[in-house]
Structure formats: structure tokens, C-alpha cells
Amino acid sequence: MLLGEPQPTQADLHFRLFGFPVRVHPFFWVVAVVLGLRMPDARTLVTWIVAVFVGVLVHELGHAVVMRWNGFHPHITLYSLGGLASYGSGAYGAASLGPWRQIGISLAGPGAGFLLAAVVCMGLVASGTGVHVSWGLPIGLNLSPADIVGGILLTIFIDLILFVTVAYGILNLMPIYPLDGGQVARELFLMAMPREGIRHSLILSMIAAGAVALLGIMQGSFLLGIMFGFLAFSSYNALQRYLGRGPW
Ligand SMILES: [Zn+2]
């Protein structure tokens, strides 16, 4: 969901998963800790970090798998507020992909998270455990408060992984640049109106990001407010640049 790949650092973690090179930038852990500071104790915080790691990795794997189906050799980077699946080398440039293939790649990230959540939910429901939707921003799924699955740590992990996969997927589906939903909106607008598509998708992005920022602040989530306020501002800047009005 982020703009570009960060510079390599000595503290990067490297591994391969299903043949995809994965790099974890140290800032990924820093942001995960900051987001988890409200966790009640150290072991819940560690469980939260693992859940964020798994949730974001599954999301990026979704993008990477569909990129590979389209002939690319992608790699994955996890950093700051999320991750990035980069096309890498391929038979053709990413620009040569048609709009529907690009939309498929964009939807595959949230789709992979939802699929994982669905499999976990089916397992829980089959074993008689309740799952409920936590409304608010972001919307997520949680275990029913009274249910314990296996041990307490496993329960916390399942609860957090359900929340992370669904909430991260839904936030990424917002029609906001450079999130997955923003890419989908741009392709759809361009198909519907080739001349005006970019302009309309940037206006929609600005309004949607502003609305999420406002809702975030109204419910006390200043992080969402700052993040989406920034995205609204970058969409505004991009729009001005696109219309040739700015010095940027
Ligand atoms: Zn994504």
C-alpha cells in the first residue's frame, strides 16, 4: 500500500517464501510496536506483532502470486505501515498488462487476507466458536469474548489475525491512491472515461481519504486521521500536478 521501496539497511531481514524473495525493513517492526502499544502486556504485544506480520505478508503474497501468474518475478517488501509487492523482472513491463489484469493483481492482496480469515472462521464455527464483526474504523472480525480456543495465546493470536486480515483488507480497498482500491478505481474510471478518468479518480481519492481521516479523528483514532489526512493531501497535490497548476 506504500509509495516506493525503501533503501536497504543492515537490519533488514531476508528470506524466501514460496520462491518469492521477502525483505522486512526494521521500520516495519517499529510501527507494529507503536500500533500495539495499547496491548495490555508484553506477550499480547508480541502476539500482535506476529499477527501483523502474518496478516501483511499474506496480503502481499496474494498480490505476488497473481503477478507470477502474469509472467512476473515479484519480490515482497514489508515496511512502515504495510507492505509492497513489486513486479520485478517480467516478460513485459507492468504497463503492458490490461486493466482487468491490473485490477486482478490489486484485488488479490485483500482477497488473500479475506480468504485466510474465511478459512479461520470456518474452522472456528465448525468447532462451535462464535465470531463477530467489530464495527467502527477499521471494521474487523473478532472472536466472541467468552470463547477460548486452545490456550489463551492461541486465542489472542486468532482474534488478532482475524482483525488484522479483515481490517487491513478493507482499508486497502478504499478508492484512495496509492492503496489497492485506488488502483482499481483508476482502472475502472479510465475504462469508463479515458480522457477524464485520472482526474475523477484523484478527486474520489481526495474525498474518500478526507472522509476516512475525519471518521478516524471522530472516533479518537488520530493515527488514522494523520495517515488518511496525509493521503488526502497527496491526492490533492497529485490532482494539482495532473491539472498542471502546481509547482510540484
Ligand atoms: Zn495491497
Short mmCIF file of all heavy atoms in Angstrom, two decimals, residues 1 59-60 63 83 106 109-110 168 172 179-180, ligand 1:
data_model
loop_
_atom_site.label_atom_id
_atom_site.label_comp_id
_atom_site.label_asym_id
_atom_site.label_seq_id
_atom_site.Cartn_x
_atom_site.Cartn_y
_atom_site.Cartn_z
N MET A 1 0.82 -1.20 0.00
CA MET A 1 0.00 0.00 0.00
C MET A 1 0.86 1.26 0.00
O MET A 1 0.37 2.35 0.14
CB MET A 1 -0.94 -0.01 1.22
CG MET A 1 -0.25 0.12 2.56
SD MET A 1 -1.44 0.03 3.91
CE MET A 1 -1.64 1.77 4.28
N HIS A 59 -1.29 -10.77 2.68
CA HIS A 59 -1.83 -9.78 1.75
C HIS A 59 -0.87 -9.60 0.55
O HIS A 59 -1.28 -9.70 -0.61
CB HIS A 59 -2.01 -8.46 2.50
CG HIS A 59 -2.48 -7.32 1.65
ND1 HIS A 59 -3.76 -6.84 1.72
CD2 HIS A 59 -1.84 -6.56 0.72
CE1 HIS A 59 -3.89 -5.83 0.86
NE2 HIS A 59 -2.75 -5.65 0.25
N GLU A 60 0.42 -9.39 0.86
CA GLU A 60 1.39 -9.17 -0.23
C GLU A 60 1.60 -10.44 -1.05
O GLU A 60 1.83 -10.36 -2.26
CB GLU A 60 2.73 -8.67 0.34
CG GLU A 60 2.65 -7.34 1.08
CD GLU A 60 1.97 -6.22 0.30
OE1 GLU A 60 2.04 -6.23 -0.94
OE2 GLU A 60 1.34 -5.36 0.93
N HIS A 63 -0.92 -10.52 -3.83
CA HIS A 63 -0.50 -9.73 -5.00
C HIS A 63 0.58 -10.49 -5.79
O HIS A 63 0.52 -10.57 -7.02
CB HIS A 63 0.12 -8.40 -4.55
CG HIS A 63 -0.85 -7.42 -3.97
ND1 HIS A 63 -2.01 -7.05 -4.60
CD2 HIS A 63 -0.81 -6.71 -2.81
CE1 HIS A 63 -2.65 -6.15 -3.85
NE2 HIS A 63 -1.95 -5.93 -2.76
N GLY A 83 3.07 -3.11 3.34
CA GLY A 83 3.99 -3.86 2.50
C GLY A 83 3.84 -3.47 1.06
O GLY A 83 3.03 -2.62 0.70
N SER A 106 -4.45 -6.05 -8.05
CA SER A 106 -4.76 -5.16 -6.91
C SER A 106 -5.72 -5.84 -5.92
O SER A 106 -5.59 -5.69 -4.72
CB SER A 106 -5.41 -3.87 -7.41
OG SER A 106 -4.50 -3.15 -8.20
N GLY A 109 -4.50 -8.94 -3.12
CA GLY A 109 -3.95 -8.72 -1.78
C GLY A 109 -5.05 -8.81 -0.72
O GLY A 109 -5.02 -9.68 0.16
N PRO A 110 -6.07 -7.89 -0.81
CA PRO A 110 -7.18 -8.00 0.14
C PRO A 110 -7.85 -9.37 0.06
O PRO A 110 -8.22 -9.95 1.09
CB PRO A 110 -8.14 -6.90 -0.31
CG PRO A 110 -7.29 -5.90 -1.04
CD PRO A 110 -6.19 -6.71 -1.68
N TYR A 168 -7.16 -4.69 7.50
CA TYR A 168 -6.13 -4.25 6.54
C TYR A 168 -6.67 -4.35 5.11
O TYR A 168 -6.45 -3.48 4.28
CB TYR A 168 -4.89 -5.12 6.73
CG TYR A 168 -3.67 -4.66 5.97
CD1 TYR A 168 -3.07 -3.45 6.26
CD2 TYR A 168 -3.11 -5.45 4.97
CE1 TYR A 168 -1.94 -3.03 5.57
CE2 TYR A 168 -1.98 -5.05 4.28
CZ TYR A 168 -1.40 -3.84 4.58
OH TYR A 168 -0.29 -3.43 3.89
N ASN A 172 -7.44 -1.18 2.65
CA ASN A 172 -6.74 -1.15 1.36
C ASN A 172 -7.70 -1.08 0.18
O ASN A 172 -7.29 -0.75 -0.93
CB ASN A 172 -5.85 -2.37 1.22
CG ASN A 172 -4.41 -2.05 1.57
OD1 ASN A 172 -3.76 -1.29 0.88
ND2 ASN A 172 -3.95 -2.59 2.68
N LEU A 179 -3.44 3.15 -2.42
CA LEU A 179 -3.95 1.87 -1.90
C LEU A 179 -4.48 1.02 -3.05
O LEU A 179 -4.72 1.52 -4.15
CB LEU A 179 -5.06 2.10 -0.88
CG LEU A 179 -4.74 3.05 0.28
CD1 LEU A 179 -5.91 3.12 1.25
CD2 LEU A 179 -3.50 2.59 1.01
N ASP A 180 -4.72 -0.26 -2.77
CA ASP A 180 -5.21 -1.17 -3.82
C ASP A 180 -6.52 -0.66 -4.43
O ASP A 180 -6.71 -0.70 -5.64
CB ASP A 180 -5.43 -2.57 -3.23
CG ASP A 180 -4.13 -3.16 -2.71
OD1 ASP A 180 -3.08 -2.92 -3.33
OD2 ASP A 180 -4.17 -3.84 -1.67
ZN ZN B 1 -2.23 -4.42 -1.32
#
